[in-house]
Amino acid sequence: MRDATPSGGSGAVPPEPPVPRDPPDPPDPPDPADPADPADPADPPDPVDPADPPDPVDPATAVVDDRGVVTGWSAGAERLLGYPSQEAVGSPVSRLVASDGGTGDGLAALRGTATTALFRHRDGRSVPVRVRAYPSVDGEGRAQRLLVVTSPESPEPPQPDGVTGDEAFAQCRLALMVYDSALRVVKASAGAVRELGLREERMRGRHVTEILPRHLCHQVADGMVRVLATGEPEEFRLRGRVRSDGPERVWSVTVSPLVTPAGQVRHVEVSALDVSEQYLARERLALLNDISARVGSTLDVMRTAQEMADVTVERLADFITIDLLDSLYRGVEPKPSGTGRVPLRRAAQQSVLRGAPEAVIEPGDVDDYPASAPPVRCLATGRSSLHTTGDAAIRNWELADPGRAGVVRRFGIHSVMVIPLRARGITLGVAVLVRHRRAEPFTHDDLLLAEEIAARTAVAVDNARRYTLERGTALALQRSLLPSRLSAQDAVEAAHRYLPARTRAGPGGDWFDVIPLSGARVALVAGDVVGHGLRASATMGRLRTAVRTLADVDLPADELLTHLDDLVTLLAAEEESTAEHEPDVEACTDLIATCLYVVYDPVSRRCTAASAGHPPPVVVGPDGPADFLDVPPGPPLGAGGLPFETAERVLPPGSLLALYTDGLVQDATHDLAGGLARLRRALGRAASRPLEELCDELLRTLLPAQPQDDVALLLARTRALDADRVATWDLPSDPARVADARAQVLARLEDWHLPDMAFTAELVVSELVTNAIRYGQPPVQLRLIRGTTLLCEVSDGSGTAPHLRRARTYDEGGRGLLLVAQLARRWGTRHQAGGKTIWAEIEIPGPDR
């Protein structure tokens, strides 16, 4: 602190003067109306005896401003020097000083210490006095001095037994050091001597690099250089050991400038405060916060454990392993045993050393721990433990496991913590934390911190395990409801892909199907139930079954979607009713699904499609280009009330049809329109490639690494049945012509090199033609189609469908359809606008297929 002087100074508060009285305020201006006012010029001052000594109770004091002008004058000063207040105030102080004791600069050199001076009395004589000057400030912050004047014969006021600044600095328990501009030690406190382990005499004059360890001295030296240059204090943190045999600590270091009266910085003061406890507490809180933020982000058991290892290593341990009970990976509720060897699967490990060389197994491997090992006891008791490598438990473990004993010796492991991972009262696994690079052993506080970390991780691991189990169940259900392999048929060559969503919501309700129809036709289906989870998968299975059932009766595409829409509406009503009667069941009032139904006929090469809110199929000709089939967009299933319409197109042989769900073309990076454009471009470039390769290429090109929605993709390349594989005859409605029909069929089978099928085909054709002529209406038509099977179709103009019946023993008829059902692989009836068609598929023998 700089002293206040007439030529300048700071606004610091002066020390208390020896006499415990405030200096008198400057006298008020005289009041002419008050005759008793002592300041009245008409009243002469009281006579003062020059021989009277100053009254110690009312000392002689004066206040002098920074220009050397008297601004305050006490009654004691008036008695001592004879000047009344109105005469002294406003006069320069030099008028009062006869001699200043040889200081040469008036009273400017006085700094609170007593000195002898000669003051000039009003009557002209000199008065010897002892005077002290104290710096001060006035009410506006301007510098001034308080002069306290006493007689030389007056005894010095008693001074309290104080401690000098040097003594206070030397005995300070805080680590304080003063360095000069060359960064050499000038002074050191008792706290610095204690922390550094060096006497002050040995430190004095030595450079900072000779006092502090190398990893600390450069930061302190750089800070001192900056403070010497700028005059501004600096504060920073240091972590390390200030002496080789001491513990690692965290210090809050402050470097402050020491300013001379001339305003120059020639020394700096360095203070160091041990803030290790506060720093470690904040570090532990930060570690727990990172555990909460970063662990459990993926709902994957292995990844969750690895996240804990990555966050914890180096900040708490030098090496960590996390082992989980092997049964946990199989979806079985973990039930550890307290006896015998326990198989644990390594879920994660991490080390401060590259490649984790301390590990004896790799993640994913199973290790059998002996019953005496601390991890097994930890699993059995659910309690953590803290060890050194000299403990009997660790020594016994090393004896039972020589491989780990070698690791302990090779890396110098000295401290071990074994922590259980418990959630919902179940121990899922165990974490082992060790130290070998950090010299300090684990403490009880470290054990508590590790237990909190393990508890939070265990909850995340258990959530991941339960999610994995539920997801696996949903996927198994969904895959069981999807076609495992496509049915054999002659109309198209098909390939498919299904990818479940990679989200916490679980698999959705996307599906596809390829359904053989009568007349060598095929139905291609793609659908999507809105939502994810078991309910979506179960609903998808019900809809797929309904589509197959409706397709089996050969409903047109638009009628099939109408029946399917009614079914979805009924399902939603059933679920709502169930939720009303069962409070634990969540109501599903927004059951919505989409569906695209496409029928392709390889004989006419006609493609018919209807859509219920589903994206349109892509059609690519043999020579391109790719475009979308213009299907009228019907409402989604479950919306109800609106009709569905169909679109038709004749496709050349070798055309490509692509059915898909919106997960393939829509995600967070682009909308549906952009995804459809990308799909069309991708198909246009690669339409001639093999279908399996094309499926993989589309998924690789269009999907992100982690799809957020289910993806179903069905590709079909059309075939055409040539005229030489189809035979059609128009028959008169005359029973006598049945024999002609049989003869024509036998001749065609001979041309197709199928003589072994003559008997079966002749019998089936005879029964179907006879029924059509006898019970149906003209026109009657017979058609044979040779594909993977031999298809016999008889059409007539009647809408009445035949049905099987049980004939009595002596009945002459009623056995025709029963024979057809026995001889054919499958048979059925389909209705069209002009009547009906009865068809039967006959298996072709292997060598001739």
Side-chain angles (χ1 to χ4, degrees):
M1 179 185 73
R2 304 181 188 181
D3 295 331
T5 64
S7 60
S10 67
V13 178
E16 290 292 332
V19 180
R21 295 188 60 181
D22 296 331
D25 295 330
D28 295 332
D31 186 0
D34 186 3
D37 193 333
D40 193 339
D43 296 333
D46 294 335
V48 178
D49 186 355
D52 290 344
D55 184 359
V57 179
D58 189 11
T61 59
V63 179
V64 182
D65 64 12
D66 58 354
R67 298 172 300 165
V69 177
V70 177
T71 59
W73 194 256
S74 70
E78 183 177 348
R79 285 193 299 272
L80 177 62
L81 299 178
Y83 297 98
S85 174
Q86 62 270 25
E87 185 177 344
V89 173
S91 300
V93 72
S94 60
R95 175 185 172 188
L96 306 177
V97 180
S99 173
D100 57 9
T103 59
D105 57 352
L107 300 176
L110 298 179
R111 296 290 188 270
T113 60
T115 186
T116 302
L118 291 177
F119 273 31
R120 184 177 291 111
H121 197 276
R122 190 183 187 199
D123 59 9
R125 60 188 174 88
S126 297
V127 179
V129 294
R130 182 185 293 112
V131 61
R132 292 174 182 266
Y134 297 95
S136 180
V137 292
D138 62 11
E140 298 181 1
R142 294 189 296 265
Q144 62 183 18
R145 285 172 294 158
L146 172 66
L147 304 182
V148 180
V149 183
T150 58
S151 173
E153 291 80 11
S154 300
E156 279 287 328
Q159 298 292 331
D161 294 334
V163 177
T164 65
D166 289 342
E167 292 172 336
F169 185 92
Q171 298 179 37
C172 179
R173 305 300 294 174
L174 180 65
L176 290 174
M177 298 187 73
V178 176
Y179 290 85
D180 61 16
S181 59
L183 308 188
R184 299 187 181 278
V185 177
V186 176
K187 285 185 178 182
S189 69
V193 171
R194 181 185 67 253
E195 297 297 344
L196 295 173
L198 298 173
R199 297 194 306 273
E200 184 181 11
E201 293 78 8
R202 293 192 57 189
M203 289 189 286
R204 193 176 295 125
R206 298 174 67 178
H207 195 271
V208 62
T209 56
E210 302 176 70
I211 301 298
L212 295 176
R214 178 174 307 217
H215 62 285
L216 300 178
C217 66
H218 294 298
Q219 189 172 351
V220 176
D222 293 343
M224 288 194 291
V225 169
R226 289 191 298 270
V227 172
L228 286 167
T230 64
E232 297 294 331
E234 287 195 8
E235 183 177 354
F236 48 86
R237 295 286 176 89
L238 290 179
R239 181 172 183 173
R241 296 180 179 85
V242 296
R243 45 197 294 187
S244 59
D245 59 344
E248 184 180 70
R249 295 183 184 178
V250 180
W251 304 89
S252 176
V253 179
T254 303
V255 182
S256 305
L258 298 180
V259 185
T260 66
Q264 296 178 335
V265 180
R266 294 182 178 175
H267 296 79
V268 292
E269 178 189 75
V270 179
S271 63
L273 180 64
D274 185 355
V275 293
S276 301
E277 289 298 325
Q278 299 92 317
Y279 179 84
L280 291 176
R282 286 195 298 268
E283 196 175 51
R284 291 187 176 104
L285 288 176
L287 178 56
L288 289 176
N289 182 68
D290 287 347
I291 289 290
S292 299
R294 296 172 54 184
V295 175
S297 60
T298 61
L299 285 179
D300 177 83
V301 173
M302 299 283 284
R303 182 59 194 161
T304 299
Q306 189 62 50
E307 287 169 345
M308 172 189 167
D310 293 342
V311 175
T312 305
V313 80
E314 191 172 7
R315 300 170 70 175
L316 181 60
D318 296 329
F319 176 62
I320 179 174
T321 64
I322 301 174
D323 297 327
L324 302 177
L325 290 167
D326 189 48
S327 58
L328 183 144
Y329 294 89
R330 301 191 301 271
V332 180
E333 193 79 8
K335 295 180 180 180
S337 172
T339 60
R341 299 182 70 87
V342 177
L344 294 176
R345 187 178 296 275
R346 178 64 48 85
Q349 60 190 25
Q350 190 56 275
S351 171
V352 295
L353 304 178
R354 185 185 299 272
E358 307 97 323
V360 297
I361 60 174
E362 295 299 320
D365 295 342
V366 177
D367 193 10
D368 287 334
Y369 283 78
S372 60
V376 175
R377 291 205 300 271
C378 175
L379 288 171
T381 62
R383 293 192 295 270
S384 57
S385 57
L386 178 61
H387 307 274
T388 65
T389 49
D391 292 350
I394 301 297
R395 291 200 305 270
N396 293 337
W397 188 11
E398 293 176 1
L399 291 175
D401 195 340
R404 282 189 172 84
V407 169
V408 171
R409 291 191 298 270
R410 184 164 66 255
F411 292 96
I413 294 174
H414 60 84
S415 189
V416 180
M417 287 193 299
V418 182
I419 312 295
L421 273 68
R422 290 178 57 82
R424 299 184 299 111
I426 301 172
T427 303
L428 307 174
V430 61
V432 178
L433 295 83
V434 304
R435 280 183 178 175
H436 54 78
R437 296 289 293 273
R438 192 181 303 189
E440 294 81 8
F442 289 118
T443 64
H444 181 67
D445 289 340
D446 294 330
L447 185 68
L448 296 177
L449 176 62
E451 289 176 342
E452 181 64 24
I453 292 173
R456 299 188 185 192
T457 303
V459 172
V461 168
D462 188 56
N463 288 340
R465 177 191 69 83
R466 298 170 69 183
Y467 167 77
T468 301
L469 180 61
E470 181 177 344
R471 176 182 170 82
T473 302
L475 284 176
L477 171 63
Q478 189 175 45
R479 293 191 184 280
S480 69
L481 297 175
L482 289 171
S484 57
R485 60 187 183 88
L486 301 181
S487 302
Q489 39 75 38
D490 297 312
V492 296
E493 173 195 1
H496 61 88
R497 294 291 185 272
Y498 171 76
L499 291 179
R502 304 283 182 160
T503 63
R504 299 185 182 186
D510 293 20
W511 91 91
F512 64 91
D513 210 345
V514 176
I515 307 172
L517 301 178
S518 64
R521 297 170 303 142
V522 66
L524 307 175
V525 188
D528 184 4
V529 177
V530 176
H532 293 81
L534 290 173
R535 175 173 292 166
S537 298
T539 303
M540 176 272 292
R542 300 172 77 174
L543 294 183
R544 177 172 175 259
T545 302
V547 170
R548 276 192 163 265
T549 302
L550 295 173
D552 193 54
V553 297
D554 271 310
L555 286 180
D558 52 347
E559 292 185 24
L560 183 144
L561 292 183
T562 300
H563 285 283
L564 204 61
D565 180 53
D566 294 339
L567 174 62
V568 172
T569 303
L570 179 61
L571 292 178
E574 288 180 352
E575 291 204 14
E576 185 175 359
S577 176
T578 302
E580 291 178 357
H581 295 85
E582 300 181 20
D584 294 337
V585 177
E586 182 180 357
C588 180
T589 59
D590 56 348
L591 180 58
I592 299 294
T594 66
C595 183
L596 176 66
Y597 188 77
V598 179
V599 177
Y600 174 70
D601 187 347
V603 177
S604 65
R605 296 177 298 170
R606 186 175 300 277
C607 175
T608 306
S611 172
H614 202 83
V618 181
V619 180
V620 188
D623 302 322
D627 64 347
F628 294 100
L629 187 63
D630 189 14
V631 183
L637 302 175
L642 295 175
F644 299 96
E645 300 180 38
T646 60
E648 292 188 357
R649 181 188 293 187
V650 176
L651 301 179
S655 298
L656 181 67
L657 281 168
L659 285 71
Y660 51 90
T661 57
D662 58 358
L664 182 69
V665 293
Q666 186 176 14
D667 61 22
T669 60
H670 53 263
D671 58 8
L672 180 60
L676 291 174
R678 294 175 62 205
L679 174 62
R680 183 171 60 182
R681 288 194 299 269
L683 285 172
R685 292 191 302 265
S688 61
R689 297 178 61 179
L691 295 185
E692 294 293 337
E693 294 182 9
L694 185 54
C695 283
D696 295 335
E697 177 66 22
L698 290 176
L699 297 184
R700 189 165 48 250
T701 303
L702 302 178
L703 293 182
Q706 296 290 331
Q708 300 300 302
D709 195 4
D710 285 22
V711 175
L713 173 64
L714 176 62
L715 299 181
R717 183 167 283 127
T718 63
R719 300 184 181 121
L721 294 179
D722 299 332
D724 60 352
R725 300 179 64 182
V726 180
T728 305
W729 299 277
D730 293 325
L731 304 177
S733 202
D734 181 0
R737 304 300 297 271
V738 174
D740 295 339
R742 290 198 299 265
Q744 291 172 324
V745 168
L746 292 176
R748 182 51 59 96
L749 292 178
E750 190 70 26
D751 294 339
W752 286 344
H753 306 289
L754 299 175
D756 294 340
M757 299 187 64
F759 175 77
T760 304
E762 183 181 15
L763 182 57
V764 169
V765 168
S766 179
E767 292 297 335
L768 294 181
V769 171
T770 301
N771 282 342
I773 294 175
R774 180 177 298 176
Y775 303 109
Q777 297 178 4
V780 178
Q781 186 181 72
L782 169 62
R783 185 169 72 164
L784 290 183
I785 301 175
R786 181 190 174 182
T788 55
T789 61
L790 179 65
L791 179 63
C792 301
E793 293 184 342
V794 177
S795 304
D796 68 83
S798 171
T800 304
H803 59 277
L804 290 174
R805 64 185 181 89
R806 186 183 299 276
R808 296 183 178 85
T809 304
Y810 298 105
D811 287 350
E812 296 182 359
R815 298 179 177 84
L817 285 181
L818 181 61
L819 290 174
V820 171
Q822 295 295 319
L823 295 174
R825 188 175 71 171
R826 64 189 188 115
W827 73 281
T829 303
R830 70 172 181 268
H831 293 266
Q832 56 263 6
K836 67 177 182 297
T837 298
I838 304 175
W839 54 269
E841 285 185 3
I842 305 172
E843 194 76 37
I844 296 178
D848 298 319
R849 294 181 64 176

